[in-house]
Amino acid sequence: MIALGDVQQAARRIDGQAHRTPVIRSATLDELAGARVHLKAECLQRAGAFKFRGAYNKLATLPRGRDVIAYSSGNHAQAVALAARLQGRRATILMPADAPVAKLEATRGYGGEVISFERSSDDREAIASALAAERGLELVRPYDDPLVMAGQGTTALELLEQVADLDVVVVPVGGGGLLAGCATVVKALRPGIRIVGVEPEAGNDTALSLAGGARVNVGVPSTICDGLGASEPGTITFEVNRRLVDEIVTVSDEEVVAAMAFLFERIKLVSEPSGAVGVAALMSGRIGPPTGPVGVVVSGGNVGAAQFAELIGAEHAAALPN
Amino acid sequence: MIALGDVQQAARRIDGQAHRTPVIRSATLDELAGARVHLKAECLQRAGAFKFRGAYNKLATLPRGRDVIAYSSGNHAQAVALAARLQGRRATILMPADAPVAKLEATRGYGGEVISFERSSDDREAIASALAAERGLELVRPYDDPLVMAGQGTTALELLEQVADLDVVVVPVGGGGLLAGCATVVKALRPGIRIVGVEPEAGNDTALSLAGGARVNVGVPSTICDGLGASEPGTITFEVNRRLVDEIVTVSDEEVVAAMAFLFERIKLVSEPSGAVGVAALMSGRIGPPTGPVGVVVSGGNVGAAQFAELIGAEHAAALPN
């Protein structure tokens, strides 16, 4: 479990290293949502996603000379690699052999040593733990770690400073680290604010888990939201979120593509699928009628131009008459 | 001709109405360009492009109750429509019958009355002048107007305030209004800064005109840079630019698409083709070796997601082996 003080301490650790990302407004989105909407643009964060906050905070607590290892096919890999480089540590990153070349290259570009594993047959946690023990590395988990959660919570700390009168805060949910960190901040500072998590329909493990009161494993979800593909909530994140989160809603992949296109065309902002679920939930009316302003975390922007073109092209083609 | 004072006056008129757009940095772009690069993100301007600055400035000088007319297939149409609405004026916009539906809708969305004309057979200037006379409207030209040029120049005024030590300023060139306004500011305040205009290869009318010392008409250029499709420089903009501009360089459509993809993937920013020519020139080494920091105006972001997908998809397909 974490407390507000942990997030405030994280904010001091990442100060000057992570970007204080801007909050962006759109009159068109306000009309669509029927509320004043404030987008917290974590797609403009270093390494392209909020993940840098948690990774940097975790690494900043390690003794000098301690190197790190992480497993991730996506934003956590890049975040750990960049945070390690900035702190003069070496980073070993376990990535699936079929990870997108762009993500492999980005991770290497930040100085990370990439080790491949077979997604279908290998147990990445076991490999990571074995390598950590063998090489004396610190394993940096993507969400189920209080220091990582506290780092992610700095997103909400900034948002509450940037916007005075929020009524609802909307946060994407994968393993639940960003949601847990943000909920901790929001409920400590402004308990009246409703906190809503958003999952892809196919990966609704947190919705099911919170509804049933115990962690549910939904297997590997089939969704374009590759950053929200956790099979089940983390053990620590679940304990936080079951206490603090008001509601979980889900969105379809089609709604996510529409939100990505809206962010592109009207806000001129690039969001990856996972980053756009909050806007998708707003645009499709999944967030109940807000009585006041809504803060939405656009959590990441790591989508290739060609991948975006494919997603939008497929949507576009689907919209054409037969 | 315009002077620094005209631009400063424009800055006071648009204050609080136009956005003071951010300047964005990228370590990767610095490496590619071999210089510190500062991107002036006019794609985040109201109505999606710098055009709002000039349109608002022009309209703000008109007497109360005076309505306006403009001809444009693109950003100038939206800019005039929005500026008119904000000032309580009615805007009539002449748009080609084959203009993209999205641009027609955006112009109507800002409250503009759209009148269609046939691009091949009709003379839009003659129609606009006739309508202006008949209905008592003020014709707002897209670039060849000192008040419009002065408004566009506020882009450079802000850039010089935001970045202290620029060595080069790079500006897209269509009719030359943005370039003329920016050159006026730069040469008045920091005559040592080199000012470079960028045109599409197919629409190099300003390059030819400056080289020959007289306005050259190149016909309707075939380029994806639809905002830079002027056939010849304006009469006033040419007089300013021949005196103040150091150099014009050109870029290919392929280089523009690569720059759009870079801005998307690394900066998380949406640029339309015309907006990306400055970054394209930098990335392809067309701007001679800079000795100091470079300011680049990313002039607009009005590209549809489907259009972007097509441009990137074609590029992507072209890059695949046979």
Side-chain angles (χ1 to χ4, degrees):
Chain A
M1 305 288 290
I2 58 169
L4 176 63
D6 298 310
V7 182
Q8 289 167 328
Q9 202 167 20
R12 287 189 291 274
R13 287 198 196 100
I14 69 172
D15 184 39
Q17 299 294 333
H19 292 321
R20 185 180 174 87
T21 53
V23 167
I24 293 174
R25 309 248 316 108
S26 154
T28 313
L29 185 53
D30 288 0
E31 271 175 47
L32 279 173
R36 280 180 72 86
V37 181
H38 301 265
L39 301 176
K40 178 69 172 162
E42 283 296 297
C43 47
L44 302 178
Q45 187 51 266
R46 289 186 83 170
F50 74 94
K51 290 281 188 184
F52 179 75
R53 297 172 180 272
Y56 194 93
N57 185 49
K58 169 75 176 180
L59 267 61
T61 65
L62 301 178
R64 235 170 110 148
R66 177 85 162 157
D67 295 328
V68 297
I69 184 169
Y71 49 86
S72 164
S73 59
N75 293 334
H76 182 59
Q78 296 173 54
V80 170
L82 177 58
R85 190 178 70 178
L86 292 171
Q87 295 182 18
R89 306 176 190 280
R90 291 173 52 187
T92 304
I93 313 287
L94 266 174
M95 296 184 82
D98 62 353
V101 175
K103 297 204 167 179
L104 287 169
E105 282 177 1
T107 304
R108 289 197 185 103
Y110 290 128
E113 181 198 344
V114 174
I115 297 183
S116 289
F117 70 93
E118 287 301 324
R119 204 193 284 267
S120 52
S121 54
D122 295 343
D123 177 346
R124 63 183 190 174
E125 281 209 54
I127 301 176
S129 297
L131 274 169
E134 184 189 315
R135 300 187 179 185
L137 306 174
E138 180 83 19
L139 176 61
V140 184
R141 296 181 190 282
Y143 45 84
D144 222 11
D145 179 315
L147 285 160
V148 171
M149 291 155 60
Q152 321 304 31
T154 59
T155 309
L157 205 56
E158 289 176 13
L159 178 60
L160 295 189
E161 287 166 9
Q162 290 165 310
V163 189
D165 57 350
L166 289 173
D167 186 49
V168 184
V169 168
V170 180
V171 180
V173 191
L178 178 63
L179 181 60
C182 289
T184 298
V185 168
V186 166
K187 294 301 182 182
L189 290 176
R190 308 257 179 84
I193 293 179
R194 190 157 63 101
I195 185 139
V196 179
V198 186
E199 286 185 310
E201 278 175 2
N204 62 342
D205 52 292
T206 296
L208 295 176
S209 301
L210 290 183
R215 291 163 68 223
V216 174
N217 189 314
V218 298
V220 178
S222 171
T223 169
I224 59 171
C225 302
D226 54 337
L228 308 179
S231 299
E232 59 182 346
T235 51
I236 316 177
T237 57
F238 178 67
E239 288 307 316
V240 173
N241 289 332
R242 71 191 297 186
R243 283 171 175 80
L244 301 181
V245 172
D246 293 289
E247 192 183 357
I248 304 283
V249 301
T250 62
V251 290
S252 70
D253 280 1
E254 290 70 30
E255 288 165 343
V256 169
V257 172
M260 290 171 70
F262 177 86
L263 287 164
F264 181 102
E265 293 185 337
R266 304 306 299 238
I267 322 282
K268 318 300 177 190
L269 212 57
V270 176
S271 170
E272 64 186 276
S274 305
V277 295
V279 172
L282 259 190
M283 287 174 62
S284 52
R286 301 292 162 81
I287 315 288
T291 57
V294 182
V296 181
V297 180
V298 178
S299 55
N302 288 327
V303 56
Q307 186 194 349
F308 179 83
E310 272 170 46
L311 289 169
I312 296 293
E315 173 77 0
H316 187 60
L320 292 176
N322 284 322
Chain B
M1 304 288 289
I2 57 170
L4 176 63
D6 298 308
V7 183
Q8 290 167 329
Q9 202 167 21
R12 287 189 291 273
R13 287 199 195 98
I14 69 172
D15 183 41
Q17 298 294 334
H19 292 320
R20 186 181 173 87
T21 54
V23 168
I24 293 175
R25 307 249 316 108
S26 154
T28 312
L29 185 53
D30 287 0
E31 271 175 47
L32 280 173
R36 281 180 71 86
V37 181
H38 302 265
L39 301 175
K40 178 68 173 163
E42 283 295 297
C43 48
L44 302 177
Q45 186 51 265
R46 289 186 84 170
F50 73 95
K51 291 281 188 185
F52 179 74
R53 298 173 180 270
Y56 194 93
N57 185 49
K58 169 75 176 179
L59 267 60
T61 65
L62 301 178
R64 234 170 111 148
R66 177 85 163 156
D67 295 328
V68 296
I69 184 168
Y71 49 85
S72 165
S73 60
N75 293 334
H76 181 59
Q78 296 173 54
V80 170
L82 176 58
R85 190 178 71 180
L86 292 170
Q87 295 181 21
R89 306 176 191 279
R90 291 172 54 184
T92 304
I93 313 288
L94 266 173
M95 298 185 80
D98 62 353
V101 175
K103 298 205 165 177
L104 287 169
E105 282 177 359
T107 304
R108 290 200 185 100
Y110 290 129
E113 181 197 346
V114 174
I115 296 183
S116 289
F117 69 94
E118 287 301 324
R119 203 192 285 265
S120 52
S121 54
D122 295 343
D123 178 345
R124 62 183 191 176
E125 282 209 54
I127 301 176
S129 297
L131 273 169
E134 184 190 315
R135 300 188 179 184
L137 306 174
E138 179 83 18
L139 176 60
V140 184
R141 294 181 191 282
Y143 45 84
D144 222 12
D145 179 316
L147 286 160
V148 171
M149 290 154 60
Q152 321 304 31
T154 60
T155 309
L157 206 57
E158 288 175 12
L159 178 59
L160 294 190
E161 287 166 9
Q162 290 166 310
V163 189
D165 57 350
L166 289 173
D167 187 49
V168 184
V169 168
V170 180
V171 180
V173 191
L178 178 62
L179 181 60
C182 289
T184 298
V185 168
V186 166
K187 293 301 181 182
L189 291 176
R190 309 255 179 83
I193 293 180
R194 190 158 63 102
I195 185 136
V196 180
V198 186
E199 286 185 310
E201 278 175 3
N204 63 342
D205 52 291
T206 296
L208 294 177
S209 301
L210 291 183
R215 292 162 67 222
V216 174
N217 188 313
V218 298
V220 178
S222 172
T223 169
I224 59 171
C225 302
D226 54 336
L228 308 179
S231 300
E232 58 183 348
T235 51
I236 316 177
T237 57
F238 177 66
E239 288 307 317
V240 174
N241 290 331
R242 71 190 298 186
R243 283 170 176 79
L244 301 181
V245 172
D246 295 288
E247 191 183 358
I248 304 283
V249 301
T250 62
V251 290
S252 70
D253 281 2
E254 290 68 32
E255 289 164 343
V256 170
V257 171
M260 290 172 71
F262 177 86
L263 287 164
F264 181 102
E265 293 186 336
R266 305 305 298 238
I267 322 282
K268 318 299 178 192
L269 212 56
V270 176
S271 171
E272 63 187 277
S274 304
V277 294
V279 172
L282 259 190
M283 287 175 62
S284 53
R286 301 292 163 82
I287 315 287
T291 57
V294 182
V296 181
V297 180
V298 179
S299 56
N302 288 328
V303 56
Q307 186 194 348
F308 178 83
E310 270 170 46
L311 289 169
I312 296 294
E315 173 76 358
H316 187 60
L320 292 175
N322 285 319

